């Protein structure tokens, strides 16, 4: 995190010297953080400039996730009054919260949503499926202007979720997703393919679930063993890292040897899931044409289809 070292970086730069790595010896206090100079961002060069951070860290320690490596496993908050003042200073009616999990602490989230209500803004954020258990929280989110949430569902395999460090109940995914959607909040599910437990049938199973849950949108990622994570260390020790070209370390490339799939199966299977989920028939069955948000949801689905790797039709990866 930059706050503890940035003054030193600037000082060294002015003095004509530098060291290779600047690292703070403690986590910065999130109270009194400077507000970003959004006026310095050139108009048209960024998709969005109205991004707001209200917290850092995550109490989960998912073996594939770099967030807890970077920001720590302790959930830290900015003062809510400072968050509200920053939103007011932006002067926009649409806000994207970039927290790893906006609902990680339910009581704090409720306090934040209460404070947002008078601002009359609309917002989206990432959260966990835990949001779906709390009706009061969902109602407050809707009243505060929540348009939609991105939920990291990852997999339907309960034992795998336990192994990777995310002890949630996949058997309650559909119930919780439905509870959130009933309050007019769209839900985008996020899935990861390529875990050691994933066999060739994982793509069809996940696609069937995404359609059955009537997810408003979905993103399918190839597992990425980011350096510093436990899964990178595991794959590295097993000699399964295929490249250290860090430009390929995003969710479109296979950079490791899967256990039950070939790299080609993993890549093609992800593309197939995107193609099938983003087909016209799939969008119509999940969203239809009714409702004020239908055009926006169609647009989101069609845009998400661009995250696949290949062009044209790809064949499904089926179980032997």
């Amino acid at each position: 995190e930059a706050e503890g070292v940035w003054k030193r970086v600037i000082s060294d730069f002015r003095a004509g010297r530098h060291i290779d790595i600047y690292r703070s010896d403690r986590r910065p206090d999130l109270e009194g953080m400077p507000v970003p100079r959004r006026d310095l961002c050139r108009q048209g060069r960024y998709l969005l400039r109205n991004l707001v951070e209200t917290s850092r860290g995550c109490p989960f320690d998912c073996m594939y996730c770099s967030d807890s490596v970077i920001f720590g496993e302790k959930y830290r908050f900015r003062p809510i009054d400072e968050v509200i003042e920053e939103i007011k200073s932006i002067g926009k009616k649409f806000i994207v919260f970039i927290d790893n999990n906006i609902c990680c602490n339910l009581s704090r989230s409720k306090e934040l949503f209460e404070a947002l209500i008078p601002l009359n803004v609309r917002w989206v954020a990432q959260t966990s499926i835990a949001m779906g258990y709390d009706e009061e929280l969902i109602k407050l989110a809707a009243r505060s202007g929540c348009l939609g949430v991105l939920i990291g569902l990852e997999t339907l395999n309960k034992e795998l979720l336990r192994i990777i460090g995310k002890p949630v109940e996949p058997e309650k995914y559909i119930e919780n997703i439905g509870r959130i959607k009933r309050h007019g909040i769209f839900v985008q599910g996020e899935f990861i393919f390529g875990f050691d437990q994933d066999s060739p049938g994982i793509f069809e199973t996940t696609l069937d679930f995404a359609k059955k849950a009537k997810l408003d949108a979905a993103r399918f990622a190839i597992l990425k063993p980011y350096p510093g994570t436990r899964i990178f260390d595991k794959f590295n020790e097993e000699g399964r890292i295929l490249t250290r070209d860090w430009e390929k370390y995003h969710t479109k490339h296979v950079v490791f040897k899967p256990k039950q799939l070939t790299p080609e199966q993993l890549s093609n299977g992800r593309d197939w899931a995107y193609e099938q989920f983003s087909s016209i028939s799939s969008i119509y069955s999940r969203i239809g044409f009714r409702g004020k948000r239908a055009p926006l949801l169609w647009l989101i689905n069609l845009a998400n289809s661009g995250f696949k790797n290949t062009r044209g039709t790809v064949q499904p990866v089926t179980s032997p």
Side-chain angles (χ1 to χ4, degrees), residues 280-292:
I280 299 299
S281 61
S282 170
I283 302 173
Y284 178 75
S285 68
R286 292 179 288 107
I287 297 168
F289 293 120
R290 296 182 179 179
K292 290 190 248 183

Side-chain angles (χ1 to χ4, degrees), residues 105-156:
N105 182 299
L106 299 185
S107 61
R108 193 263 182 177
S109 299
K110 291 176 183 179
E111 186 182 351
L112 173 63
F113 299 162
E114 286 273 16
L116 287 171
I117 292 173
L119 301 187
N120 194 30
V121 295
R122 297 292 179 265
W123 58 270
V124 296
Q126 295 183 105
T127 187
S128 74
I129 195 64
M131 178 185 186
Y133 287 95
D134 194 318
E135 191 85 34
E136 179 188 7
L137 177 70
I138 301 169
K139 288 180 179 178
L140 278 173
R143 285 181 58 205
S144 70
C146 181
L147 291 175
V149 289
L150 283 64
I151 299 180
L153 302 173
E154 326 308 2
T155 178
L156 308 177

Side-chain angles (χ1 to χ4, degrees), residues 1 3-4 24-30 56-57 67-74 76:
E1 294 170 78
E3 287 83 2
S24 180
D25 59 359
R26 64 181 179 83
R27 299 286 178 188
D29 186 353
L30 301 189
R56 289 183 188 168
D67 283 340
S68 58
V69 176
I70 296 169
F71 296 118
E73 296 173 25
K74 183 180 179 182
R76 294 170 288 139

Side-chain angles (χ1 to χ4, degrees), residues 157-223:
N157 186 327
K158 188 171 185 176
E159 177 61 16
L160 173 56
L161 286 165
R162 184 193 65 79
I163 291 171
I164 64 179
K166 198 165 190 175
V168 295
E169 302 172 294
E171 64 271 19
K172 295 188 177 179
Y173 277 176
I174 290 180
E175 176 186 344
N176 287 355
I177 290 167
R179 191 174 292 119
I180 295 170
K181 284 167 58 71
R182 281 196 296 274
H183 290 276
I185 298 171
F186 82 76
V187 177
Q188 175 166 302
E190 312 267 318
F191 300 94
I192 300 175
F193 295 138
F195 291 108
D196 285 356
Q197 292 77 5
D198 289 347
S199 64
I202 187 64
F203 309 105
E204 293 176 69
T205 301
T206 305
L207 175 66
D208 289 345
F209 167 83
K211 289 181 176 180
K212 183 179 179 182
K214 291 190 178 294
L215 287 170
D216 296 304
R219 288 186 64 183
F220 305 100
I222 291 172
L223 177 64

